[in-house]
């Protein structure tokens, strides 16, 4: 049986850092409130000449170098991003061109928000398992700073910019054991970025993220708890088999609740939230990359990845790393 393994990871964070103290000067908030309610201390903000494309390229090149794979070997490129370079051509096609390759499928997942990376991972996994491609680049890249309303204290404190990437490769040894994807449009209004080409003339407020934070918080805790049960049951495993949780980085209280659900101490959870905020689809690969680079996550460890976001859309991946 063929498996998909993560054979390389990479990440990129813009140089500019926005601290909670900086935000205190911009909106009616305090660093204390932000840390207590979210766990976030600072976040990275893209420079004017940076974008989902430039950050994806940095992360992708690092992941390919880590994997020892040349661009010509890549058989598919998927970029999960809610902040793409353009409507089209896709950010993935633009990256393909920058990497000097042509021919392999390349596309963006634009609308799965913070669940985007897990969705993209699942899609690439199907192609590799079925033998149609050998290597894939899966990236999450976001310039959230361009879609938050910097006058809205409820949302602007949460988000940051960055990109994370993995190279996936076909393997005879176990890698991705299962992925589980879900969505429920009932909750379409809980979290949205309503900018639309479907109606004449957007109003300015549609250009920014809208969120009913406390409702989303409760939904996330319930949904992710059920998702963990589903993922473990599908693999006939128990929570004691999980070595690492690699969660979407939305709120430290959600992450703590998920660690508790798995009986995992927090030092077995890949957390970047304090330093990076919520980077949407980039948060999972960035957290994975950091934990791997720091020597925490090791080959053979059992990883549970989870993401959830606008849609609502959510998903998990169980991976023997
Ligand atoms: N500073 C000070 N006060 C604030 C701030 C702020 N930055 N933001 C909101 N408040 C106030 C509110 O106005 C409210 O005041 P009121 O009681 O007088 O009305 C009070 O704080 C409490 O507001 P809540 O929204 O109930 O606060 P909560 O504890 O729920 O925290 C938060 C808000 C951090 C947004 C939390 O709900 C959360 O993290 N939700 C989940 C977000 C999430 O999971 N996103 C993931 C997906 S993101 C994606 O897909 C792109």
């Amino acid at each position: 049986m063929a498996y998909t393994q993560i054979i390389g990871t990479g990440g990129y964070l813009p140089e500019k850092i926005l601290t909670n103290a900086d935000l205190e000067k911009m909106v009616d908030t305090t660093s204390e409130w932000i840390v207590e309610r979210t766990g976030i201390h600072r976040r990275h903000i893209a420079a004017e000449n940076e974008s989902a494309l430039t950050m994806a390229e940095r992360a992708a090149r690092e992941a390919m170098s880590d994997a020892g794979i040349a661009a010509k070997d890549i058989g598919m490129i998927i970029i999960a991003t809610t902040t793409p370079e353009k409507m089209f051509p896709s950010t993935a096609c633009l990256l393909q061109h920058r990497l000097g390759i042509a021919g392999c499928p390349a596309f963006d997942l634009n609308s799965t928000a913070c669940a985007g990376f897990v969705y993209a991972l699942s899609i690439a996994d199907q192609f590799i398992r079925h033998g149609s491609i050998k290597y894939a680049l899966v990236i999450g890249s976001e310039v959230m700073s361009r879609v938050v309303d910097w006058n809205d204290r409820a949302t602007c404190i949460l988000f940051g910019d960055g990109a994370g990437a993995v190279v996936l490769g076909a393997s005879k040894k176990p890698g991705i054991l299962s992925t589980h994807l879900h969505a429920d449009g009932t909750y379409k209004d809980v979290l949205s970025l309503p900018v639309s080409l479907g109606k004449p003339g957007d109003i300015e407020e549609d250009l920014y993220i809208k969120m009913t934070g406390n409702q989303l918080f409760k939904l996330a805790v319930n949904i992710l708890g059920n998702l963990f049960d589903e993922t473990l049951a599908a693999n006939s495993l128990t929570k004691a088999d999980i070595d690492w949780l690699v969660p979407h980085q939305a709120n430290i209280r959600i992450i703590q609740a998920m660690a508790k659900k798995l009986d995992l101490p927090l030092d077995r959870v890949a957390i970047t939230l304090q330093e990076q905020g919520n980077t949407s689809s980039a948060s999972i690969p960035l957290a994975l990359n950091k934990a791997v680079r720091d020597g925490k996550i090791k080959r053979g460890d059992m990883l549970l990845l989870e993401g959830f976001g606008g849609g609502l859309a959510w998903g998990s991946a169980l991976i023997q790393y």
Side-chain angles (χ1 to χ4, degrees):
M1 180 172 166
Y3 286 99
T4 304
Q5 268 205 331
I6 294 176
I7 59 170
T9 65
Y12 175 76
L13 292 163
E15 210 177 297
K16 184 181 168 188
I17 289 172
L18 186 74
T19 65
N20 290 352
D22 296 328
L23 280 163
E24 284 180 349
K25 295 181 200 130
M26 296 162 64
V27 287
D28 180 16
T29 191
T30 62
S31 180
E32 196 187 2
W33 190 96
I34 299 171
V35 172
E36 191 186 309
R37 299 291 181 116
T38 72
I40 301 166
H41 291 253
R42 55 190 70 82
R43 63 291 286 147
H44 294 254
I45 303 292
E48 266 177 34
N49 62 351
E50 291 182 310
S51 67
L53 173 62
T54 65
M55 295 192 297
E57 182 179 5
R58 296 285 291 263
R61 288 192 185 279
E62 188 175 275
M64 288 192 296
S65 156
D66 186 39
I69 291 293
K72 66 175 174 44
D73 298 322
I74 297 295
M76 174 176 281
I77 303 172
I78 312 179
I79 300 186
T81 177
T82 38
T83 50
E85 197 76 8
K86 305 169 190 294
M87 291 301 288
F88 67 83
S90 68
T91 317
C93 272
L94 299 173
L95 176 63
Q96 186 193 46
H97 180 64
R98 281 187 174 218
L99 295 178
I101 55 175
C104 73
F107 59 96
D108 293 355
L109 279 184
N110 287 152
S111 45
T112 35
C114 307
F117 181 76
V118 183
Y119 266 66
L121 198 70
S122 179
I123 293 168
D125 176 41
Q126 314 300 322
F127 281 88
I128 292 177
R129 261 180 214 248
H130 289 103
S132 15
I133 58 168
K134 203 166 167 201
Y135 298 106
L137 248 180
V138 177
I139 302 163
S141 185
E142 300 281 11
V143 269
M144 300 306 286
S145 60
R146 297 196 184 138
V147 291
V148 294
D149 179 351
W150 289 104
N151 296 311
D152 176 15
R153 67 176 184 174
T155 51
C156 75
I157 55 144
L158 298 172
F159 296 98
D161 300 336
V166 296
V167 175
L168 302 178
S171 163
K172 290 203 168 65
K173 283 194 281 183
I176 297 178
L177 300 177
S178 70
T179 57
H180 305 266
L181 305 182
H182 297 281
D184 186 349
T186 311
Y187 301 108
K188 61 185 171 33
D189 298 323
V190 178
L191 175 62
S192 62
L193 177 51
V195 60
S196 165
L197 299 179
K199 61 184 193 292
D202 279 310
I203 52 171
E204 202 193 330
E205 66 179 39
D206 284 350
L207 300 174
Y208 303 120
I209 285 179
K210 292 185 175 40
M211 182 170 79
T212 313
N214 43 17
Q215 190 186 354
L216 185 56
F217 188 101
K218 287 173 202 147
L219 282 165
V221 172
N222 275 332
I223 281 170
L224 293 176
N226 294 336
L227 183 65
F228 289 178
D229 291 340
E230 175 193 349
T231 309
L232 291 172
N235 291 279
S236 303
L237 295 178
T238 69
K239 51 192 176 184
D241 295 306
I242 303 299
D243 295 309
W244 282 93
L245 173 64
V246 187
H248 171 48
Q249 314 279 318
N251 187 308
I252 195 67
R253 293 180 290 142
I254 298 176
I255 292 175
Q256 284 162 342
M258 293 307 98
K260 196 169 169 207
K261 164 92 186 161
L262 292 170
D263 286 339
L264 270 182
L266 274 187
D267 61 6
R268 283 276 160 176
V269 184
I271 304 177
T272 52
L273 182 78
Q274 300 97 323
E275 306 298 320
Q276 299 175 15
N278 178 348
T279 56
S280 190
S281 62
S283 84
I284 297 172
L286 274 169
L288 175 68
N289 182 52
K290 184 166 190 326
V292 168
R293 302 268 152 176
D294 289 350
K296 293 180 174 172
I297 290 180
K298 298 194 171 57
R299 285 287 164 202
D301 283 351
M302 189 68 77
L303 316 184
L304 179 52
L305 276 54
E306 58 83 352
F308 69 94
L312 295 180
W314 64 96
S316 65
L318 190 76
I319 302 173
Q320 195 163 342
Y321 185 69

